[in-house]
Amino acid sequence: MMAKLKAVGRTNKLLLGLVAVTLFIALILTSPWYIPWLVWTHGRTNYVSSSLTPYYAVDKFETNYTVPKIIHQTWKDSNIPQKWQAARQSCIDLHPDYEYKLWTDASADAFVQHHYPGLTHTYTKYPYVIQRADAIRYALLDHYGGIYIDLDIVCLHPLDFLRTYGFVMPKTWPVGFSNDFLVGAPGHPFLKKMVSSLPSHNWWLFSKYATVMFSTGPMFVTALATSFNNKNTLAVLPDDMYGKYVASPDPLFLHLHGSSWHGEDAKSVLWFLRHPVVIASVVLGLLAALSTYLIILRLRPPQRYSVLEAENSLNKMC
């Protein structure tokens, strides 16, 4: 009986060790996602103020603007898909006195070569088109300033009041900041930091989704914002204004959820993020099955050999 209890004790220690190792590995694999956001949480200082709503009530003559009246959007050519044309037109109609710039692959390439020759090699060698689409928006805002808007975003209100901030980025889900909508003053230090950091962040991270997210996408923005010294110059667009992940009575945007660059790896990651109970159930089920197997293995009576079987085994070894 004592031997069985000792065996169960050893099994429990082994099981706890396996659980600890599993949790440690999970923390290591997910740390690039949550650590920047935790650090930012302690250092964040600026959210776009809801006191400026209703948005159309901002006095356009007495407000000091730092961002020029320019809307930037990008697509591979001038033929914007039908499904996004209404969204594009909504932003143009709400800003009739703004300059509108649609950047194609050709004009974006020419812009980078002319204004950012040091970035050209990294920019042209990106393996994914979406990486160039990400990079060009940072460079355009750094050079011209203005407002960048993804084509799958419908504008519901004028955005003039956001031009009083030096840089604006929306909060996203599950952590960090998005880059599908950005507001920036030309030459803002954070925009310069993003552009200059693109070559050093040109990593390959085993899958398209992770590579894009951390080399040019939202986690690239989040990590740089986290380490940026002057966080008080960065403004965060809150959930109720952004309107993408929470129900809001009066958001700035309607999101059509394009995400045309997402591959199968992205779908898998997002599915797991949206179903944490399933993940926990699978992990606990595997651990329960493993512990049951180990207990049965430990409690199994030791195999006994007769003297004759032992001699035969020794003869075979010789």
Side-chain angles (χ1 to χ4, degrees):
M1 185 62 182
M2 289 300 296
K4 290 184 179 181
L5 292 176
K6 290 181 179 179
V8 172
R10 288 193 297 267
T11 301
N12 289 337
K13 290 180 180 179
L14 180 60
L15 179 59
L16 290 175
L18 289 172
V19 171
V21 170
T22 302
L23 291 175
F24 178 76
I25 293 174
L27 288 174
I28 292 296
L29 292 176
T30 58
S31 61
W33 299 86
Y34 67 79
I35 286 180
W37 181 240
L38 290 177
V39 174
W40 171 268
T41 299
H42 293 294
R44 67 186 181 200
T45 56
N46 199 13
Y47 265 77
V48 171
S49 174
S50 59
S51 64
L52 288 174
T53 55
Y55 314 116
Y56 48 80
V58 179
D59 191 327
K60 298 182 180 180
F61 299 100
E62 297 183 1
T63 304
N64 294 320
Y65 294 110
T66 60
V67 176
K69 293 181 177 182
I70 307 174
I71 292 177
H72 302 275
Q73 292 191 303
T74 62
W75 187 243
K76 61 182 178 180
D77 52 38
S78 59
N79 299 314
I80 297 176
Q82 180 68 34
K83 61 181 178 180
W84 293 330
Q85 288 182 12
R88 168 179 175 260
Q89 195 61 43
S90 70
C91 297
I92 294 175
D93 292 344
L94 283 170
H95 306 88
D97 56 341
Y98 278 50
E99 180 182 3
Y100 178 81
K101 291 179 177 288
L102 177 66
W103 296 88
T104 64
D105 287 354
S107 61
D109 291 348
F111 170 84
V112 171
Q113 292 176 13
H114 181 70
H115 294 288
Y116 296 90
L119 182 63
T120 302
H121 178 75
T122 300
Y123 183 81
T124 57
K125 296 298 182 181
Y126 278 132
Y128 304 115
V129 173
I130 183 59
Q131 290 176 289
R132 287 187 286 278
D134 284 338
I136 192 64
R137 67 191 68 177
Y138 310 140
L140 290 171
L141 292 182
D142 177 50
H143 183 77
Y144 291 107
I147 301 174
Y148 170 82
I149 310 173
D150 266 4
L151 283 170
D152 61 344
I153 292 179
V154 178
C155 293
L156 301 178
H157 292 283
L159 303 172
D160 290 281
F161 76 101
L162 293 176
R163 293 174 47 233
T164 61
Y165 297 88
F167 184 83
V168 180
M169 55 189 173
K171 183 182 176 183
T172 192
W173 179 91
V175 295
F177 309 110
S178 181
N179 65 350
D180 59 354
F181 172 79
L182 298 170
V183 180
H188 190 281
F190 185 62
L191 286 166
K192 289 194 173 298
K193 178 175 182 177
M194 284 200 290
V195 173
S196 64
S197 299
L198 288 168
S200 61
H201 285 71
N202 188 17
W203 305 318
W204 168 250
L205 297 176
F206 307 106
S207 74
K208 178 181 179 181
Y209 184 71
T211 297
V212 171
M213 288 290 285
F214 285 93
S215 65
T216 60
M219 290 310 297
F220 168 78
V221 177
T222 302
L224 292 181
T226 300
S227 62
F228 189 60
N229 291 328
N230 298 319
K231 292 185 179 65
N232 61 323
T233 67
L234 306 179
V236 179
L237 194 68
D239 291 332
D240 59 339
M241 287 187 179
Y242 188 40
K244 190 172 185 177
Y245 300 109
V246 299
S248 176
D250 196 26
L252 287 174
F253 310 111
L254 172 66
H255 298 265
L256 303 181
H257 300 286
S259 300
S260 57
W261 64 274
H262 284 185
E264 293 301 321
D265 57 339
K267 294 178 183 178
S268 300
V269 172
L270 294 174
W271 189 91
F272 280 116
L273 288 173
R274 293 187 178 109
H275 298 83
V277 176
V278 175
I279 300 174
S281 300
V282 171
V283 172
L284 290 175
L286 290 174
L287 290 175
L290 178 61
S291 62
T292 301
Y293 170 76
L294 291 175
I295 291 174
I296 294 174
L297 188 65
R298 287 290 184 178
L299 296 179
R300 181 183 297 174
Q303 187 174 0
R304 298 182 180 279
Y305 291 92
S306 64
V307 176
L308 181 60
E309 288 175 333
E311 290 178 352
N312 290 336
S313 297
L314 289 173
N315 291 333
K316 290 180 180 178
M317 293 176 62
C318 296

